[in-house]
Amino acid sequence: MDININDIKNGMTIIMDGNLYTIVEFQHVKPGKGPAFVRIKRKNLKTGAVTEDTFNTNIKITKAHIEKVHAQYLYSMGENYVFMNNTTYEQIEIPASVLKDSVNFIKEGLEIDIDSYEGEIIGITLPEKIEFEVVETEPAVKGNTATNATKDAKIETGYVVKVPLFINQGEKILVSTKDGKYASRA
């Protein structure tokens, strides 16, 4: 489906040069002189490469129709992660290579959306923030109160996130899946 470049939004999936891209960021620019233009950052869904482009406002782009299936994470088996379709109860295996950095945030029972294009799984959509338990971190050191001081904390998936000094082992925290950073206590 072709749409005007002015109608794009963050997170939208488009087809350009025969490849699938997701829009990471877009900006509509109207300079004092000359015609308006659109600047976009797009991420290649296969390679993960991010490119920036500038387009005139009168061009059309092709929007990709992405199918989403609501699923729940069950377990991992070698390099594959097994999910269950919440509608049909069918199990779906997705290789870690397709999931990329999402594997840092996948834990048992997590509900996600599996994204596919023309029958091929291209990735998953995680919740914006996920609650994790801190399984390992150093205790806070008295007197170490520098502004915005942080320490490393390992969460239950094995991923290491920077947290404020007051967070202790065993506490629950919220982690943003967009940038992998500590959001707040849970």
Side-chain angles (χ1 to χ4, degrees):
M1 174 172 78
D2 284 347
I3 60 168
N4 190 296
I5 191 91
N6 292 315
D7 297 331
I8 64 170
K9 294 179 177 32
N10 286 345
M12 189 178 277
T13 307
I14 60 170
I15 303 168
M16 289 179 88
D17 319 319
N19 291 314
L20 280 176
Y21 294 93
T22 186
I23 302 297
V24 178
E25 197 177 292
F26 77 97
Q27 184 179 23
H28 193 274
V29 182
K30 194 168 168 76
K33 286 186 177 168
F37 59 91
V38 175
R39 186 177 293 134
I40 66 168
K41 261 190 196 173
R42 58 189 169 126
K43 180 178 181 181
N44 187 315
L45 290 178
K46 287 239 189 298
T47 66
V50 176
T51 47
E52 273 191 55
D53 296 294
T54 303
F55 297 101
N56 291 329
T57 56
N58 59 353
I59 73 153
K60 300 258 187 232
I61 56 171
T62 306
K63 182 179 175 189
H65 178 68
I66 302 298
E67 292 177 33
K68 292 187 176 287
V69 172
H70 197 65
Q72 182 178 26
Y73 174 65
L74 298 175
Y75 58 89
S76 64
M77 195 169 62
E79 283 295 300
N80 290 334
Y81 286 73
V82 181
F83 297 86
M84 179 184 65
N85 180 323
N86 286 355
T87 310
T88 65
Y89 303 109
E90 143 192 25
Q91 290 190 4
I92 303 161
E93 283 186 36
I94 305 176
S97 58
V98 172
L99 297 173
K100 298 183 178 68
D101 291 343
S102 296
V103 298
N104 295 325
F105 309 110
I106 297 175
K107 65 178 193 169
E108 203 174 303
L110 181 68
E111 304 233 341
I112 52 102
D113 284 328
I114 298 174
D115 306 328
S116 61
Y117 176 71
E118 295 182 346
E120 181 188 348
I121 294 173
I122 56 172
I124 62 172
T125 303
L126 293 165
E128 210 170 287
K129 292 178 182 163
I130 303 175
E131 182 181 303
F132 292 101
E133 183 178 332
V134 175
V135 293
E136 194 180 301
T137 189
E138 296 295 314
V141 180
K142 263 198 184 330
N144 188 356
T145 52
T147 313
N148 295 334
T150 60
K151 61 183 179 179
D152 287 345
K154 188 187 280 187
I155 58 175
E156 55 200 282
T157 62
Y159 183 69
V160 175
V161 62
K162 295 270 186 207
V163 297
L165 296 176
F166 58 80
I167 298 293
N168 296 310
Q169 189 170 318
E171 284 192 63
K172 302 252 189 230
I173 61 170
L174 288 178
V175 176
S176 166
T177 57
K178 290 226 185 300
D179 56 13
K181 294 184 177 168
Y182 166 84
S184 67
R185 274 185 167 148

